[in-house]
Amino acid sequence: MRLSRYFLPVLKETPAEAQIVSHRYMLRAGMIKQASAGIYSWLPLGFRVLRKIENIVHEEQIRAGHIPMLMPTLQSADLWRESGRYDDYGEEMLRITDRHDRDMLYGPTNEELITDIFRSHVSSYRDLPLTLYHIQWKFRDEIRPRFGVMRGREFLMKDGYNFDLTKEDALHAYNRHLVSYLRTYERMGLQAIPMRADSGPIGGDDTHEFLVLADTGESEVFYDSQITELKFGDREIDYDDRAQCQAVLEEFTSRYARTDETHDEAVFNQIPEDRRRVARGIEVGQIFYFGTKYSEPMGATVQGPDGKAVPVHMGSHGIGVSRLVGAIIEASHDERGIIWPEGVTPFHVGLVNLKTGDAEADAACEAIYAALVGKGLEPLYDDTDERAGGKFATMDLIGLPWRITVGPRGLKNGVVELTSRRTGESEEMSPEAAVERVAQIYAPHMVRGI
């Protein structure tokens, strides 16, 4: 993409309403624009990051054997009355009446709707196990929406729902989701710690939240510092292997890590003092097992092996897709701007022409641009006539992990400059070597079998 043809409305000043880093940088980098309180338009740069995150979520869900679909944003209130949650959910639910005086709602979650789909089409245990998921916009009418996409009213979320014959089967689905979430977050350059949490209005006894440690987190968290040393890495997991999935759950949840709602001071104090940590965290996902909470009142049953009808065991599993954009920025930035991890960057590399209009510099940039595209990479080429300082400031603000700088002085020596946004280190090399280096850096992120 050529910057001269792109829509990137960067701001020099920070808007007064932006209180935390991610909100400030998303506004300044031209990623979002507020439409109304807690509701945002996603401008091209922000939309690219949102889609990168969404694609990673899809890939890891499909890898785990989960099946994508799409449910509507509006739901019938009758389904929620069946489950008993319509009156219990509270004022966060946006209730709507259509022209025929039918009660509707803008979905804050989808347990009722997915249960209705299941009971309409599945009647035998032979059709189980089954996990369906979608990525869809949600709405919760927050009383005080703030912090940009971190606590907005409209947000993009992945909801997954498992249906199983027994509790044991459903707990394997729970473990399977935990494993897939660990892979998902690490691919985004995040360490999201699974913490024992409160189930809230979803219900159920077994639940973990995934939290990213950050000073601006909304939750106080208590944990054993050893948990931050754990990495899932590139290990291969057979998602049908119950022992493997259970082992991963035990590895990542056996050390103390809890949110303030479930914190137990007595248990926490049993950890050696030098490993006790109290911090703040940003919730980016949660997994639940809630048994027959929805299937029993809504009649979601299957015929078991003995011919008798039994309610299915269920769980729900969410990832805050749009919230992750803010969480990544909170975890990865400096005083100059965003620092995107390679897995979610909107463009793989920035290409800066220090003297647009110079024949040699223009030709070199065109050749580098074509070579990068030929490698399957997505460069952002600053071909504008902005001054060098302004070009560097924009690249630092929008946070592309790598920058190739091309100028007449370097070209006389046959070199360009490759710079790491994270470390600030630069290295001179030939244009061909710079392209090859960037391609090698991104090779692990470009090849993902599912």
Side-chain angles (χ1 to χ4, degrees):
M1 177 60 67
R2 299 170 190 274
L3 190 56
S4 60
R5 301 178 187 175
Y6 198 53
F7 181 59
L8 186 66
V10 297
L11 305 175
K12 287 187 168 59
E13 303 297 328
T14 300
E17 72 270 20
Q19 299 176 323
I20 63 172
V21 168
S22 59
H23 194 191
R24 292 199 296 269
Y25 282 156
M26 289 184 76
L27 289 171
R28 285 197 54 213
M31 295 178 67
I32 56 173
K33 184 183 185 302
Q34 181 169 297
S36 60
I39 301 174
Y40 293 88
S41 296
W42 288 78
L43 306 184
L45 192 75
F47 186 63
R48 286 182 72 93
V49 177
L50 191 67
R51 283 291 174 255
K52 291 285 181 77
I53 291 172
E54 183 180 351
N55 287 340
I56 290 174
V57 173
H58 271 303
E59 288 172 7
E60 293 304 329
Q61 286 299 295
I62 293 169
R63 186 196 299 272
H66 307 157
I67 304 168
M69 59 176 298
L70 185 63
M71 289 176 276
T73 56
L74 295 181
Q75 302 178 30
S76 167
D78 291 341
L79 289 174
W80 285 65
R81 291 191 176 105
E82 274 192 69
S83 70
R85 284 206 303 173
Y86 184 70
D87 295 320
D88 294 343
Y89 203 89
E91 294 185 356
E92 285 187 358
M93 181 188 289
L94 181 63
R95 294 166 168 84
I96 305 164
T97 303
D98 69 11
R99 66 170 65 192
H100 301 292
D101 289 327
R102 290 178 294 220
D103 291 330
M104 309 288 288
L105 57 98
Y106 195 126
T109 184
N110 282 76
E111 283 80 10
E112 285 79 3
L113 193 55
I114 195 69
T115 304
D116 181 56
I117 292 169
F118 177 87
R119 69 184 178 184
S120 299
H121 299 287
V122 180
S123 58
S124 171
Y125 75 95
R126 293 185 179 87
D127 297 318
L128 304 180
L130 178 66
T131 295
L132 302 170
Y133 81 93
H134 75 158
I135 297 177
Q136 179 60 290
W137 291 97
K138 309 284 186 188
F139 188 92
R140 293 176 187 166
D141 201 4
E142 292 274 357
I143 189 170
R144 285 185 296 274
R146 59 192 187 279
F147 304 153
V149 302
M150 295 290 291
R151 192 153 186 177
R153 293 193 295 164
E154 185 182 56
F155 53 95
L156 188 63
M157 187 172 178
K158 171 259 166 183
D159 296 288
Y161 302 94
N162 67 280
F163 301 88
D164 291 278
L165 183 63
T166 67
K167 180 177 181 179
E168 291 72 26
D169 294 341
L171 288 177
H172 172 57
Y174 185 95
N175 297 351
R176 194 172 63 239
H177 278 86
L178 182 136
V179 175
S180 69
Y181 280 24
L182 292 172
R183 287 185 58 100
T184 297
Y185 296 126
E186 286 194 13
R187 282 187 60 186
M188 297 176 189
L190 289 174
Q191 181 176 45
I193 302 171
M195 298 193 178
R196 178 66 64 181
D198 181 68
S199 63
I202 302 294
D205 297 325
D206 293 274
T207 180
H208 281 86
E209 285 181 3
F210 290 78
L211 290 106
V212 174
L213 299 178
D215 293 338
T216 51
E218 72 272 47
S219 301
E220 189 174 35
V221 297
F222 304 80
Y223 63 96
D224 182 337
S225 63
Q226 282 190 343
I227 202 167
T228 61
E229 299 169 8
L230 298 176
K231 297 289 186 292
F232 188 83
D234 293 328
R235 70 181 87 174
E236 288 298 325
I237 293 290
D238 179 354
Y239 283 101
D240 292 327
D241 188 323
R242 298 193 177 203
Q244 266 194 319
C245 293
Q246 179 67 27
V248 174
L249 176 127
E250 291 173 359
E251 177 185 352
F252 281 84
T253 64
S254 59
R255 295 164 181 82
Y256 191 93
R258 299 193 183 189
T259 60
D260 49 2
E261 295 96 337
T262 61
H263 175 55
D264 187 323
E265 191 71 19
V267 177
F268 186 59
N269 287 337
Q270 294 175 15
I271 302 167
E273 187 173 357
D274 64 331
R275 288 174 17 209
R276 290 181 219 151
R277 298 288 187 274
V278 181
R280 302 203 70 80
I282 300 168
E283 182 197 344
V284 292
Q286 191 163 2
I287 57 177
F288 302 86
Y289 162 70
F290 44 66
T292 58
K293 175 181 171 67
Y294 298 94
S295 57
E296 282 191 339
M298 297 185 68
T301 63
V302 295
Q303 186 181 54
D306 59 1
K308 295 180 180 178
V310 292
V312 292
H313 288 254
M314 292 176 59
S316 71
H317 314 276
I319 290 180
V321 176
S322 54
R323 168 177 271 231
L324 272 165
V325 180
I328 291 169
I329 295 171
E330 293 293 331
S332 186
H333 68 271
D334 62 16
E335 71 281 357
R336 298 192 305 276
I338 303 163
I339 306 174
W340 291 115
E342 279 84 355
V344 297
T345 180
F347 295 95
H348 295 120
V349 58
L351 176 60
V352 175
N353 188 339
L354 291 180
K355 197 168 184 181
T356 302
D358 177 87
E360 188 178 8
D362 288 352
C365 285
E366 291 294 339
I368 293 170
Y369 184 86
L372 290 166
V373 172
K375 296 281 189 181
L377 297 167
E378 300 168 320
L380 179 62
Y381 173 24
D382 189 343
D383 59 343
T384 67
D385 56 7
E386 175 75 54
R387 292 181 304 169
K391 292 187 176 189
F392 291 148
T394 296
M395 286 293 173
D396 284 345
L397 174 62
I398 66 176
L400 307 186
W402 297 92
R403 185 185 75 227
I404 298 174
T405 305
V406 180
R409 184 180 302 174
L411 289 175
K412 287 179 181 178
N413 298 317
V415 297
V416 297
E417 191 175 69
L418 179 64
T419 303
S420 165
R421 174 68 179 88
R422 187 168 297 280
T423 67
E425 296 177 355
S426 296
E427 185 178 352
E428 289 187 340
M429 60 187 71
S430 70
E432 296 79 11
V435 170
E436 192 58 38
R437 178 76 63 83
V438 173
Q440 290 172 358
I441 290 167
Y442 282 102
H445 303 278
M446 305 289 282
V447 181
R448 295 282 180 180
I450 54 174

